[in-house]
Every structure is written in structure tokens, then in C-alpha cells.
Amino acid sequence: MQTDGGLLSNIIKDTGYLQNLGPVYHSYAGSLDLLQERLSEGRFHLAVLGQFKRGKSTLLNALLGDQILPSSVIPLTAVPTLIQYSDKKEVRVRFLGGREDNIFQSDDPAMIRQYVETYVSEEINPHNKLQVLQVEILWPSPLLAKGVILIDTPGIGSTHQHNTEMTITFLSECDAALFLISSDPPMTDTELAFLKQIKAAVPKIFFLLNKIDYLSEEEKVVAAEFFRQTLIEKGEYIDPLIFLVSAKWGLSAALIDDPNLWYQSGLSALSDHLFSFLTQEKTDVLHTAIRQRAAALMQEVSMHLALEIRSLELPMSDLEVKQELFKGKINEAMLQQRRSQDVLAGDHKRVIDWLEEWARDLIKKAEKDFMERSIILLEANGYNPAPVHDIIAEELPDYFEPELRALTSVYEKKVSLLLSEHQQQADVLIRSIISAAADLFAIPLHEIGEKKVWVLDHEPYWVSRTGWQTLVGSLTDGVFGKFLPLSLRKKGIIEDMRSNINRLVLHNTENIRWATMLNINKTFSRFTCEFNADMNRIIEATGGAVDATVEFRARHAEKTGERLSQVKHELNLVEERIEYYRGGCNAGVPLVWDRSVWIFKVHP
């Protein structure tokens, strides 16, 4: 497998080659350019997950080399903290509702930590009253320089259920996770249940047994074996790799630059393993995907060239007959494309209709649940609405966040199934054009490339979540109501409560419905755009190649032989590039262009 630079430089050179090959190949060059961007960025989201007070923030601070993340004896709020690489040291706080970001810069880790704590602490920012979307920290760390974005989570199992919901919901956004436990207490049923959710959503999990500084050597062995057996028997892992670490020792070692203590903390082995993974496995997975897509694009280029060659070789009269026959095939395919899009639009509407029905049902259910809850609370508090206000505000996020998570799960399956069926039909349609070209012009029949898997588009949880409306409003009795007997005031208090609850339920349900509808619309729109782009590219690669050759021969009949030799040469080059991207051409050897004659040379 080549290094990042090797594959990247070859894609850049091939992009330039296709640009120089002519205007009809510019769309392929544009597609390669997108692959180049994807390869260059190579961002990787690594989350630290675990139960409250397992030492997640301390571990992250140790890996970053300084105390920049707050840790607390009370839970942090459900605001995610993302840490990514930069030469500068900066905190950017993003808010809900489009409010301007707050930016803070300091070289003092204590100042950074204090500023972050203002927004992520449940004590200072209870229930995210400041309406923070997310906190981003820029920090010059070697680990982050590998393209990693670290994500600090509030943890599960605290008294704040919305923290647990937030952590679970954004699992699908993680590329890998560090799952942290300790021996005080051993692994709980809550952690086991959480681990099963992680396993289903996160591709790569690293297991860490923290706080070994509290254990003797014998106790370390016992704790590690207990953790391993639990993972095998209850977590269904075959041979889990477990790192024994002390985040406390690791942070101390980083702060005083003590390599021996760093080694004893176990973080030396962990960081070495992470670096190895990030430079090998992560890169290999990304490279494989990039190579496959690049090979598929170059395969389409080869089909275009092969059609041009055949169109140059055929007698002009035969070529014109085949051109007309092929135009008929393309017109049939385009008619079927329009029919498919009509069916797709119908499916899109049915999905939205189902969402509207779901929202109506949720409103009825939530109004009933909260009203029953309010009556119980009013009776328990002597019909004093003030404490009921606080309790309802506390319970609203915990009620609606599971509804959002359940809805997202249902819709991901529903949209994925629908669009997978439409993708199969699109593949058949594109295949029919390629097959017609192969049959009419006697060229090799190529596969259409990658098989697309469609899932519901959705922003990361902390982006799509617009914040729950929890302001119940004025639930006081009014100036004159205070002087009436309680028996006369009850009805008014209950009606005021019902009015406020109905408004709150409608507002929060609309938040969910609107965000989900936007995601559905975005997904269907992206499918339509990509389907149209794929069709246009295939039609251009086939019908466009034939049409351009017919026009060329009509204008420059005397140059047909010269053009034929040139296109055959280009086809040989493109076929070499296909083999390279498939991994069978001088693997690991850098290839460069000799632009004077447009051929590849291998460096000695």
C-alpha cells in the first residue's frame, strides 16, 4: 500500500491528465478532484466513551499533553467538545439559532480549561441554558496532527438522563472509540448495555481499564481477566485487546515530561497502538475506497476511448446507422429515467406523509402524558404551579430526546430500504446503456463501478438538535386569583397548565418533525442529483463519444488515421492507470507524467 503522498500525487496527476485530454473528460477530472479532497482531509472522529467518573477527561488531557478539558465531581452538560489540530490554541463556542460564535485564545491551559467549563459544566450551564451547539478546541497535539478529531462526551449513568441520550445518539458519527472502565466498581449492567449499542454503531473499539494506580500487580491481573471474560461472555467479543492504563499517572507524566512514568501509566502502549492504527489501518481503509472509486472513474474513461476508437474504425455509413440506433436506446433510457423519478417523488411524498402522521400521534401522546403528570404534581404541591414549572422543564428533554432517537432509527431503515430499491433500478438503467453500446459497437462490457448504499442524511446530533423549548411560561394565579378559594382557583390553574403544555408539546414536536423532514428532503435530493449525474456521465461517455467522433470525421476525414493512433495510445495509458488503482501496477513505486508525450515513466 502506498503512502498518502503516493496515492494523492497520482490522483492529482491523473486529474491534470484528464483535464488536458479534452473538454469531454473534464467531468471525470472533477470527480477525481473530489477524491483528492477526500484523501487530503482524511478526518477521523475518535470518541472517548464510558460511564460517568471513569476518568474520560483526564485520559484526554493526558493524550493531549496538558490540562485543557475540565473534569468535575458532578456531571458535565450534554454539550459535545471536539478537539482538533491547529498551531494556535483557541476555543470556539458555537450556539444554536445562528448566534455569532464566541472565540477565545490563550496560551495558558488553565485559562482555556476555565473558559470551556463555562459552557460545558452542568453546574454553570444547567440544561444548556446558554443554548450551546458545541465547543471546539484547537490544540497543537501530535495525535491530532494525524487527522484525528477527539470527542469528549458527558458520559452515561449520571443523574442527568439527557447526557446519556446525547452520548448514545451521536454514536453513528464516530469512526472509532476508546471505551473506558475502571475497577471501582467493576463493569456494570448499564455499561454492558451501552457497549452493545457502541458495538452496533462504531466500527473500531479500543478497550481501556483505567485507574490501575489504585491496584496492586495481582489486582491488575484479576481485574483485567474479569473485564476480558465479561467482554467475551456478555459482550460477545472473541479475543478483546485491553489496555491497562492510569490516566492520572499519564497526565502527571505529560505535565512533567517523565518518560518512565508515561510508560508505567500504560499510555505509552496505548498511544503507540493508536498511532499505528491511524497510520496503517485507517489509511488502508481510506485508500481502498479511494482506489476503487478512481478505478471505476478511469474505467468509464476507457469505455469512452474504446467507443471513440470503434467509431473511428467503422465505415462512415455503418457508423451513422449505429449512431441513430444508439440514440434510440438512450432516448428509451431517458424516458425510463423520468418515470423512475416520478415513482421516487411519490415515495418521497409518502415518507413525508408518514412523518406528519407520526407527529400528530406524538402530540396527542405527549399532551396526555404531561397533563397527567402535571395533575399529579399540582396535587402534590398544593396546586402551586411554580415547582411544577421547574419539574416539567427538567423532564421535557428526557421525554423528547428518546422520541427523536427512535424516529431517526425508524427513518434510517425506511429511507435506506426505499433508496436501495431505487438504486437497483438506476443501476439496471445505466447498465442497459452500457450493454447497448457494447452490443452495437463491439466493445468490452464494463461493470458500472461501486455499488451505492443509501442511508438517511443527518447532521451530527449536536448540529441537528435545535434545543428543547422548556419555558413553560407564567403559571401564577394572577393578582385577583390569589384571593379566591383554592376550590375556585383549581380549574383556572389546570387550564393554564393545559394551555402551556399544549404549546410546549407542539413546539418540541415541530422541532423534531422539521429537522427530520429537512434530512429526508436532503437525502432524496442527493439521490436524485447523483442519479442524474451518473446518467449524464454515462450518456456522455457513450453517446457523447460517438457523436463527437461522427462530427470529427465529417470535418477532418483526412485526420482519422492520426486520431485513431492517438486515441489507442491514450486507451493504453488509461488501462495502465486502472491496473494501478486496482493495486496491480508497480505497487509502491511512484509514477510521474512525461508531459511531452503523455506517457508514464517509473522512477529508477
Side-chain angles (χ1 to χ4, degrees), residues 417-430 448 450-454 527 530-531 534:
L417 180 60
L418 266 177
L419 292 186
S420 294
E421 293 173 355
H422 282 282
Q423 184 63 56
Q424 290 175 8
Q425 296 170 8
D427 290 344
V428 169
L429 193 55
I430 291 173
I448 61 175
E450 63 179 353
K451 301 296 183 184
K452 296 181 181 179
V453 177
W454 288 90
F527 178 92
E530 291 198 20
F531 179 24
D534 289 343

Side-chain angles (χ1 to χ4, degrees), residues 360-566:
R360 289 191 294 269
D361 291 343
L362 177 59
I363 288 173
K364 292 178 183 177
K365 176 177 178 293
E367 287 177 349
K368 178 177 179 293
D369 291 345
F370 275 110
M371 200 59 218
E372 289 177 353
R373 177 70 171 146
S374 297
I375 295 296
I376 293 172
L377 292 172
L378 284 170
E379 291 177 351
N381 288 275
Y383 280 81
N384 178 8
V388 178
H389 165 279
D390 296 334
I391 295 172
I392 294 296
E394 174 83 17
E395 293 179 353
L396 267 167
D398 292 344
Y399 185 92
F400 281 101
E401 286 182 2
E403 295 290 346
L404 172 60
R405 189 156 56 91
L407 178 65
T408 300
S409 176
V410 169
Y411 263 92
E412 282 182 345
K413 295 175 183 177
K414 185 182 290 289
V415 171
S416 177
L417 180 60
L418 266 177
L419 292 186
S420 294
E421 293 173 355
H422 282 282
Q423 184 63 56
Q424 290 175 8
Q425 296 170 8
D427 290 344
V428 169
L429 193 55
I430 291 173
R431 179 78 176 187
S432 71
I433 298 175
I434 297 173
S435 298
D439 292 342
L440 278 171
F441 294 91
I443 62 171
L445 180 63
H446 295 304
E447 295 295 328
I448 61 175
E450 63 179 353
K451 301 296 183 184
K452 296 181 181 179
V453 177
W454 288 90
V455 296
L456 178 67
D457 276 343
H458 60 91
E459 298 292 339
Y461 172 71
W462 48 88
V463 175
S464 62
R465 180 173 180 263
T466 57
W468 305 115
Q469 176 66 36
T470 58
L471 182 61
V472 176
S474 177
L475 295 178
T476 59
D477 297 337
V479 175
F480 298 104
K482 293 179 180 179
F483 299 102
L484 294 175
L486 179 60
S487 60
L488 296 178
R489 286 189 287 126
K490 281 184 179 181
K491 183 178 179 181
I493 292 172
I494 291 173
E495 288 306 313
D496 284 347
M497 180 68 70
R498 188 186 308 279
S499 175
N500 278 280
I501 284 176
N502 290 352
R503 176 173 55 82
L504 282 173
V505 167
L506 179 63
H507 181 97
N508 285 291
T509 303
E510 178 61 17
N511 276 356
I512 298 176
R513 186 200 69 83
W514 179 252
T516 305
M517 185 179 70
L518 290 180
N519 290 332
I520 291 169
N521 291 343
K522 180 181 176 182
T523 305
F524 274 85
S525 176
R526 185 165 65 89
F527 178 92
T528 301
C529 289
E530 291 198 20
F531 179 24
N532 290 338
D534 289 343
M535 282 288 290
N536 292 339
R537 194 174 62 248
I538 289 298
I539 290 172
E540 179 60 33
T542 53
V546 175
D547 293 344
T549 306
V550 170
E551 183 179 353
F552 174 84
R553 291 182 65 175
R555 292 185 177 185
H556 310 286
E558 74 284 359
K559 295 182 178 180
T560 299
E562 179 183 347
R563 177 60 183 168
L564 180 60
S565 298
Q566 180 185 358

Side-chain angles (χ1 to χ4, degrees), residues 52 70-79 116-130 154-155 158-164 166 393-394 397-398 401 465:
F52 171 60
S71 57
S72 176
V73 295
I74 64 172
L76 300 180
T77 192
V79 173
V116 171
E117 189 171 14
T118 302
Y119 297 96
V120 305
S121 167
E122 187 72 34
E123 184 177 19
I124 303 174
N125 181 23
H127 292 287
N128 194 16
K129 67 178 183 181
L130 299 177
S158 73
T159 56
H160 299 286
Q161 178 63 21
H162 56 282
N163 288 359
T164 299
M166 176 267 183
E394 174 83 17
D398 292 344
E401 286 182 2
R465 180 173 180 263

